[in-house]
Amino acid sequence: MEQWLVGVDLGGTTVKLAFVSIYGEIICKWEIPTDKSENGKYITTHIAKAIDEKLRELDESKERLIGIGIGAPGPVNMATGDIYEAVNLGWKNFPLKNRLEVETGLPVVVDNDANIAAIGEMWKGAGDGAKNLILVTLGTGVGGGIIVNGQIVHGTNGAGGEIGHITSIPEGGAPCNCGKTGCLETIASATGIARIATERLQQTDEPSRLRHVWNEAGAVTAKDVFDAVKENDALAQQIVDEVTFHLGLALAHLANGLNPEKIVIGGGVSKAGDVLAQAVAHHFKRFAFPRVAEAAEIVIATLGNDAGVIGGAWLVKTNMA
């Protein structure tokens, strides 16, 4: 009987789950809503029930499952599998590994959600097997996963790869949820791009397709900005240039220390595709050490929402299989 890996990607709105073969092929994937009530105390029970129900539906037994690899938002204590803090879920020092093992009767390995997405892209996605890779995810926030010699960089206390909190604006930057100001997350996230676009529209009378959107909808999104760039909208191009300047600069600083083969851009904002990748690469090349710039290819993530569950499966494969 072929054994399966279970990948779980725990997000603020949904929990994505998948049964994955040991070769990284998704056999079955589905999602459930994240129940954040009472500080997220029911999340592990719901994951256990979801796995049992899916096995019943497929008429499969639990013996098929080797174990569970789960990614959670927030720094992880790698020794215990506890989550130090996941603000979006209401967790503080939450014993995720122990809880989920008790609920499911399966061995569990835990890592950060951006880290498992980086592993997924390395194994089956845009990383294309590259052993030295930086993944930056641009969504509601900016996450990151750094892989060196095929291993995720966790750091001393689980906070390795916090790319979103590199300071981009040292003085007078926008406040960040982490408590600092001027973080890359306040600029290059979907939220940051929308904020910058709104500020530009308030500061200038320049005609722009974005002004039309703003007047109609009362708000501008990151998608609106990139759509306008594709129509050669001058104001939108200025906004994207500002955002990718900061992203290219931060990635160049990181790359100068790490000398990666691939820099993968993921998250919702990465749907902008080549427009984004080329603009980031332009600024990156200005600021990276020439030999570092020569080695690093900037690419758009290819796995989309599957990166996390595939990365979770890889954790099981390398730790248990």
Side-chain angles (χ1 to χ4, degrees), residues 45-61:
T45 312
H46 289 171
I47 292 171
K49 280 183 180 165
I51 291 168
D52 288 344
E53 280 163 17
K54 190 56 72 175
L55 285 170
R56 266 199 302 279
E57 193 185 302
L58 299 171
D59 199 21
E60 292 287 355
S61 84

Side-chain angles (χ1 to χ4, degrees), residues 21 32 68 102 117-118 124 126 150 167 178 193 214 222 263 265 273 299 305:
S21 80
I32 58 170
I68 299 170
V102 167
K124 287 285 157 187
T167 300
C178 76
I193 297 167
W214 192 41
I263 295 175
I265 304 173
V299 293
N305 286 336

Side-chain angles (χ1 to χ4, degrees), residues 128-148:
D128 206 20
K131 293 282 196 299
N132 291 286
L133 172 152
I134 297 170
L135 170 77
V136 58
T137 57
L138 312 176
T140 319
V142 171
I146 296 171
I147 295 176
V148 174

Side-chain angles (χ1 to χ4, degrees), residues 41-298:
K41 69 185 268 193
Y42 303 113
I43 291 172
T44 49
T45 312
H46 289 171
I47 292 171
K49 280 183 180 165
I51 291 168
D52 288 344
E53 280 163 17
K54 190 56 72 175
L55 285 170
R56 266 199 302 279
E57 193 185 302
L58 299 171
D59 199 21
E60 292 287 355
S61 84
K62 218 169 201 170
E63 271 90 77
R64 250 204 200 272
L65 308 180
I66 298 172
I68 299 170
I70 183 167
V76 177
N77 180 327
M78 296 309 294
T80 62
D82 292 1
I83 305 297
Y84 287 113
E85 186 169 25
V87 185
N88 298 348
L89 304 175
W91 285 355
K92 201 151 191 161
N93 295 319
F94 186 84
L96 178 55
K97 174 180 157 71
N98 291 346
R99 277 289 166 86
L100 200 51
E101 285 184 339
V102 167
E103 300 273 12
T104 59
L106 291 165
V108 173
V109 57
V110 179
D111 208 325
N112 168 270
D113 56 352
N115 286 350
I116 66 165
I119 293 170
E121 289 290 347
M122 172 184 79
W123 188 22
K124 287 285 157 187
D128 206 20
K131 293 282 196 299
N132 291 286
L133 172 152
I134 297 170
L135 170 77
V136 58
T137 57
L138 312 176
T140 319
V142 171
I146 296 171
I147 295 176
V148 174
N149 299 333
Q151 300 289 319
I152 275 284
V153 174
H154 291 111
T156 299
N157 64 356
E162 286 293 348
I163 297 171
H165 301 290
I166 291 172
T167 300
S168 295
I169 312 277
E171 302 295 339
C176 181
N177 291 336
C178 76
K180 300 200 297 124
T181 59
C183 292
L184 180 63
E185 181 168 300
T186 66
I187 298 162
S189 63
T191 329
I193 297 167
R195 176 187 62 80
I196 291 166
T198 308
E199 283 175 9
R200 290 295 167 277
L201 288 165
Q202 287 165 340
Q203 289 161 358
T204 171
D205 294 330
E206 196 177 326
S208 167
R209 174 197 152 127
L210 293 176
R211 192 171 302 285
H212 175 67
V213 174
W214 192 41
N215 291 337
E216 292 260 301
V220 184
T221 66
K223 183 181 184 301
D224 294 329
V225 173
F226 283 102
D227 286 348
V229 166
K230 286 168 187 163
E231 293 184 16
N232 295 319
D233 185 282
L235 186 65
Q237 279 170 333
Q238 286 168 34
I239 295 161
V240 168
D241 190 59
E242 180 181 344
V243 168
T244 54
F245 166 87
H246 288 294
L247 189 52
L249 177 62
L251 290 171
H253 288 331
L254 271 177
N256 282 349
L258 297 164
N259 191 195
E261 184 183 337
K262 296 265 174 139
I263 295 175
V264 182
I265 304 173
V269 174
S270 72
K271 290 193 178 83
D274 287 345
V275 175
L276 174 66
Q278 284 162 9
V280 173
H282 165 72
H283 292 295
F284 175 82
K285 287 190 176 89
R286 284 177 61 199
F287 300 122
F289 180 64
R291 197 163 167 80
V292 167
E294 206 179 289
E297 187 187 359
I298 295 180

